[in-house]
């Protein structure tokens, strides 16, 4: 079942996620429905708050053509199978240089902004089978993990913007609070 994606201005996006104590059939179904919703919206990541549920769950699928560094075209995470279903994810370590790259968000249709994030993260989570996992992620995947974990903490793209960018987008953000707009097709949305 596809959900309607909650957009900026909806209070649930600001609620901190409740940890999942047991990966039940209901939570697995929620993860499946979130994936269907993410694919339907052509996003590469989605957090539970974006479908109106403040539980600690996100889904990520970075396709191979986007899992490349910007210069050489080498795969960033060739050994990590997609999609990823993460219950109770926590970042254990951030590494590499801070990188600035344009980021979109399915809850901010039509908006993208440069966001500085760590180039690499080590993330701990419970997978869809209920098995604890630790992954070392690089490139866009590392960015997606940090973006989705922000969502689970109630932190949004607008909080990561520079003051100047926020001022320049003020009218757009205000409109977004009132209505949805067409999504930018170029920037991967998370
Ligand atoms: Zn987002």
């Amino acid at each position: 079942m596809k959900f309607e994606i909650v957009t900026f201005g909806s209070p649930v996006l600001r609620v901190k996620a409740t940890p999942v104590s047991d990966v039940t059939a209901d939570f697995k179904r929620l993860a499946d429905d979130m994936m269907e919703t993410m694919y339907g919206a052509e996003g590469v990541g989605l957090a539970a708050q974006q479908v109106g549920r403040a539980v600690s769950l996100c889904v990520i699928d970075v396709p191979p053509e986007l899992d490349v560094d910007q210069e050489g075209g080498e795969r960033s995470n060739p050994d990590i199978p997609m999609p990823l279903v993460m219950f109770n994810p926590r970042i254990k370590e951030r590494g590499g240089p801070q990188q600035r790259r344009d980021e979109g968000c399915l809850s901010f249709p039509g908006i993208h902004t440069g966001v500085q994030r760590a180039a690499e993260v080590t993330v701990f989570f419970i997978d869809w089978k209920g098995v604890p996992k630790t992954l070392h992620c690089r490139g866009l995947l590392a960015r997606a993990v940090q973006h989705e974990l922000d969502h689970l903490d109630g932190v949004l793209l607008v909080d990561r913007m520079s003051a100047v960018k926020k001022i320049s987008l003020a009218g757009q953000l205000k409109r977004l609070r009132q209505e949805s707009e067409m999504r930018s097709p170029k920037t991967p949305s998370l």
Side-chain angles (χ1 to χ4, degrees):
M1 186 197 80
K2 228 186 266 178
F3 289 103
E4 195 169 318
I5 295 176
V6 166
T7 50
F8 179 56
S10 175
V12 69
L13 290 174
R14 290 301 191 183
V15 180
K16 261 185 121 140
T18 306
V20 171
S21 55
D22 191 14
V23 179
T24 59
D26 280 351
F27 280 126
K28 286 183 187 179
R29 194 169 321 119
L30 176 61
D32 278 347
D33 290 344
M34 281 171 58
M35 269 193 280
E36 201 183 324
T37 305
M38 174 181 73
Y39 294 133
E42 294 177 19
V44 300
L46 195 69
Q49 279 95 334
Q50 294 179 280
V51 299
R53 298 277 305 270
V55 295
S56 190
L57 164 62
C58 65
V59 296
I60 294 175
D61 192 340
V62 175
E65 65 271 20
L66 294 179
D67 185 40
V68 290
D69 61 43
Q70 279 160 309
E71 301 89 34
E74 288 265 299
R75 284 288 299 272
S76 303
N77 306 277
D79 301 326
I80 299 180
M82 297 287 160
L84 291 168
V85 173
M86 297 181 170
F87 290 97
N88 304 341
R90 284 202 314 274
I91 290 175
K92 306 293 276 185
E93 208 180 339
R94 292 168 203 265
Q98 290 284 311
Q99 287 179 339
R100 191 172 194 82
R101 187 172 165 184
D102 250 10
E103 225 175 272
C105 177
L106 293 174
S107 295
F108 288 79
I111 286 176
H112 54 92
T113 182
V115 179
Q116 189 142 312
R117 297 199 190 266
E120 300 180 19
V121 293
T122 302
V123 60
F124 169 83
F125 60 97
I126 309 292
D127 76 2
W128 69 279
K129 288 180 185 159
V131 178
K133 287 257 168 72
T134 301
L135 286 180
H136 185 72
C137 308
R138 301 161 61 211
L140 179 59
L141 178 58
R143 179 168 292 275
V145 166
Q146 292 170 85
H147 181 108
E148 301 316 331
L149 268 69
D150 268 358
H151 273 299
L152 298 179
D153 282 334
V155 175
L156 299 173
L157 199 60
V158 68
D159 308 320
R160 299 288 186 202
M161 280 175 197
S162 67
V164 171
K165 183 81 180 178
K166 216 189 282 189
I167 290 163
S168 76
L169 287 175
Q172 219 176 332
L173 288 167
K174 192 176 169 193
R175 270 200 303 282
L176 184 55
R177 282 182 184 272
Q178 295 157 346
E179 61 178 68
S180 285
E181 292 177 345
M182 290 294 289
R183 232 163 19 89
S184 160
K186 279 194 186 134
T187 306
S189 291
L190 309 158

